Amino acid sequence: MSTNQTSGEFNLPEGYALPENLYRELAAFIEGLPTKAGHLVTALHKAQSLFGYLPEEVQKFVAEHMDVSVVHVYGVVSFYTFFTQIPKGKHPISICMGTACFVVGADKIVESFRQQLGGVEVSEVTSDGQFSIDCLRCVGTCALAPVVMIGEKVYGKVTPDQVKDIIADFS
């Protein structure tokens, strides 16, 4: 990565396809860290919040700016389940499939979301990029089973009939 110090330009090397302005913001964030040591997860959180996921090119960028190997970055990304290397929709839908949720019909909730979103599969993004569906092991709100999260918003005791209205909240 290079920044032309005289003109303030930010130049990405070839092979980077994602928006340059997001890389610029990420580079500024990393430069603003008090120290690079011990802040890799912080930098990765910022990168994922900017790009929505952590593809190989973003991991490479973070590695270069944090002065660590790409293998080290990949190890962290693949270890923590919060990080994703798969693109998510603007409104990521997470359906709890823990025991309490599954027992009261979480699988029917998944199917209802799939149908309402045009047949999109779990781990896929709708063609308009607005929604993605994922299943989680447990979100720790068993009293609200079955539980659906869209972004940070939590829906409890969800029924298949409510899915259309839940989606409408974000359309």
Side-chain angles (χ1 to χ4, degrees):
M1 291 319 114
S2 64
T3 302
N4 184 326
Q5 297 300 325
T6 56
S7 68
E9 289 180 25
F10 183 88
N11 300 308
L12 281 174
E14 284 187 41
Y16 284 81
L18 295 171
E20 185 176 314
N21 64 311
L22 298 180
Y23 283 111
R24 188 179 298 114
E25 188 174 338
L26 180 56
F29 177 82
I30 291 171
E31 286 177 27
L33 291 171
T35 177
K36 291 180 183 180
H39 285 90
L40 178 57
V41 170
T42 303
L44 289 169
H45 274 286
K46 180 64 173 181
Q48 185 163 289
S49 74
L50 290 170
F51 294 95
Y53 70 118
L54 298 171
E56 185 178 325
E57 73 177 71
V58 173
Q59 292 180 51
K60 182 179 176 186
F61 183 91
V62 170
E64 289 172 359
H65 280 77
M66 294 296 292
D67 300 324
V68 296
S69 71
V70 176
V71 171
H72 182 70
V73 170
Y74 175 78
V76 171
V77 168
S78 62
F79 178 80
Y80 291 106
T81 57
F82 172 80
F83 294 126
T84 181
Q85 298 176 72
I86 300 169
K88 301 289 181 194
K90 180 178 179 182
H91 307 291
I93 300 167
S94 300
I95 303 160
C96 181
M97 296 299 279
T99 303
C101 289
F102 188 80
V103 167
V104 293
D107 57 329
K108 292 177 181 82
I109 305 302
V110 171
E111 189 54 35
S112 186
F113 271 104
R114 288 188 61 250
Q115 289 175 358
Q116 290 294 323
L117 296 173
V120 67
E121 296 291 335
V122 172
S123 299
E124 290 184 349
V125 180
T126 56
S127 60
D128 63 3
Q130 291 298 303
F131 297 96
S132 56
I133 301 174
D134 283 299
C135 294
L136 304 174
R137 292 185 198 144
C138 184
V139 295
T141 55
C142 301
L144 299 176
V147 174
V148 171
M149 293 176 60
I150 300 185
E152 307 253 334
K153 188 168 183 178
V154 177
Y155 294 86
K157 299 186 186 276
V158 176
T159 65
D161 294 338
Q162 294 173 315
V163 168
K164 185 175 184 178
D165 291 335
I166 291 171
I167 292 170
D169 287 347
F170 295 89
S171 296

